[in-house]
Amino acid sequence: MTWLITGGAGYIGAHVVRAMTEAGERAVVYDDLSTGIAGRVPAGVPLVVGSTLDEKLLGRVLAEHSVTGVVHLAAKKQVGESVDRPLHYYRENVEGLRVLLEAVTAAGVASFVFSSSAAVYGMPDVDLVTEQTPCVPMSPYGETKLAGEWLVRAAGRAAGLSTACLRYFNVAGAAAPDLADTGVFNLIPMVFERLTDGVPPRVFGDDYPTPDGTCIRDYIHVVDLAEAHVAVARALRATPGRDLTLNIGRGEGVSVREMIDRIHAVTGHQDPPVVTPRRPGDPARVVASAERVTTELGWKARHDVQDMITSAWQGWVHRHPEAARG
Ligand code: WQD
């Protein structure tokens, strides 16, 4: 069985490729290299540079490599940018997926794993978000992920494709320094950047209805997340006609203040944070119920926040050696 991994040169995708190949699966990477990095694709894994909007090329690649399963991670993923460029996000994330599904169903692929997001839930008003919690996305990005899930399920049912929609919570960490996230769009890298520049990290609002007033999230190590893909790939292969929707989180909430304290402890940088106004659209608390994924796949996260910060910091220092001197 060969898996086509779209977005396999990206931060999360490269970890998925590594986990799948280490588990003995054959992989082919399909990536337009708009944000992906060719060097992240391991030797021996073919890399096809192309867009998910290119149905012809997709059809050729699926046939040439006798692809039987697809893990689709290629997408735009910045919430703020999606507010400014919604048409671009719908084109890349929804139209790109629709075209890919055309090629996939025409080629008779058996399994399809879709990278969705906790962003589909928007501002959930519950302690633990289950897969039944209503989806009310708050950004075009979240909308494209929810619409993507609809497309995947509908196309899957019509074509007899086994499908899984994985709703990632807050992904962090790295398997190795050269696989670390190079984007500075999330809490951990944003704090690293400020500490490296010698300026205080920022807390976006401390007047939320949470114990320390700062937002709570469910952070998941990218290595655990990648292993969840291996488990889901095997589950889809074992049982044709499956239709899974799963939260991929740890079920543990950590506040922004707690994260910054832990980052201080790992990095040795001590600049106390400054509190700035709330960032528009941020929910107070988003924590997964990770029960269903454990029941369905027997998968459970193994790494804690300490591992995430430590490995992310090693990646940061690898690219910013001056940061270590703090
Ligand atoms: C975490 C918390 C910030 C930076 C987003 C997307 C989600 C997924 C992951 C994509 C928030 C606070 C941040 C800083 C801060 N994306 N913060 N100071 O917003 O939970 O999730 O990324 O695939 O869909 O919505 O993640 O890392 O941006 O923020 O106080 O310098 O940290 O306000 O409460 P978020 P994040």
Side-chain angles (χ1 to χ4, degrees):
M1 173 144 198
T2 299
W3 292 87
L4 184 76
I5 303 180
T6 75
Y11 159 57
I12 297 175
H15 283 89
V16 171
V17 171
R18 183 181 159 126
M20 296 281 274
T21 52
E22 280 178 358
E25 305 287 342
R26 258 205 312 272
V28 176
V29 169
Y30 191 91
D31 199 300
D32 68 2
L33 299 183
S34 57
T35 54
I37 301 171
R40 282 188 180 133
V41 179
V45 174
L47 164 65
V48 180
V49 179
S51 160
T52 51
L53 292 157
D54 189 342
E55 191 179 341
K56 253 197 176 152
L57 179 61
L58 283 165
R60 217 165 46 231
V61 173
L62 293 171
E64 265 169 22
H65 293 275
S66 308
V67 170
T68 43
V70 173
V71 182
H72 177 49
L73 298 111
K76 298 284 143 202
K77 64 165 186 178
Q78 288 175 46
V79 173
E81 185 184 53
S82 79
V83 176
D84 298 333
R85 302 184 67 196
L87 299 179
H88 181 60
Y89 270 66
Y90 271 87
R91 180 178 152 84
E92 293 289 325
N93 294 4
V94 180
E95 177 60 7
L97 169 60
R98 192 197 63 76
V99 170
L100 172 62
L101 285 166
E102 295 269 15
V104 158
T105 51
V109 169
S111 309
F112 194 91
V113 180
F114 175 59
S115 137
S116 184
S117 168
V120 298
Y121 296 115
M123 301 245 190
D125 188 20
V126 289
D127 266 5
L128 290 181
V129 177
T130 73
E131 291 81 355
Q132 280 90 38
T133 299
C135 292
V136 191
M138 298 290 294
S139 66
Y141 167 72
E143 291 165 13
T144 65
K145 286 293 169 184
L146 183 56
E149 290 193 5
W150 294 335
L151 269 179
V152 167
R153 287 190 208 107
R157 268 194 300 271
L161 190 64
S162 266
T163 62
C165 297
L166 303 184
R167 294 175 175 164
Y168 308 162
F169 282 64
N170 290 61
V171 186
D178 56 327
L179 290 180
D181 191 3
T182 52
V184 186
F185 304 114
N186 295 110
L187 175 63
I188 295 176
M190 284 168 79
V191 171
F192 286 173
E193 181 169 71
R194 309 259 314 169
L195 294 174
T196 304
D197 292 346
V199 291
R202 292 169 302 174
V203 172
F204 296 152
D206 69 350
D207 57 350
Y208 285 94
T210 60
D212 69 14
T214 68
C215 289
I216 293 177
R217 296 287 181 273
D218 187 349
Y219 296 87
I220 167 100
H221 199 300
V222 68
V223 166
D224 284 324
L225 175 76
E227 281 165 9
H229 289 73
V230 175
V232 84
R234 291 184 168 160
L236 294 188
R237 179 166 55 206
T239 317
R242 270 191 109 166
D243 168 10
L244 292 167
T245 300
L246 302 170
N247 287 341
I248 310 291
R250 296 165 61 244
E252 184 192 305
V254 183
S255 77
V256 172
R257 271 206 193 279
E258 287 166 345
M259 286 299 282
I260 293 175
D261 285 348
R262 285 162 189 242
I263 292 171
H264 280 152
V266 166
T267 63
H269 288 265
Q270 294 298 336
D271 311 62
V274 288
V275 178
T276 66
R278 289 183 179 197
R279 190 172 67 175
D282 272 341
R285 178 186 164 94
V286 187
V287 180
S289 159
E291 239 175 70
R292 186 190 277 183
V293 62
T294 304
T295 313
E296 294 284 351
L297 303 181
W299 171 91
K300 218 174 164 21
R302 296 184 291 125
H303 296 284
D304 59 13
V305 162
Q306 182 75 19
D307 295 341
M308 297 176 218
I309 296 172
T310 306
S311 60
W313 181 244
Q314 285 162 354
W316 182 268
V317 170
H318 178 69
R319 281 175 291 113
H320 306 273
E322 73 281 10
R325 288 196 288 275

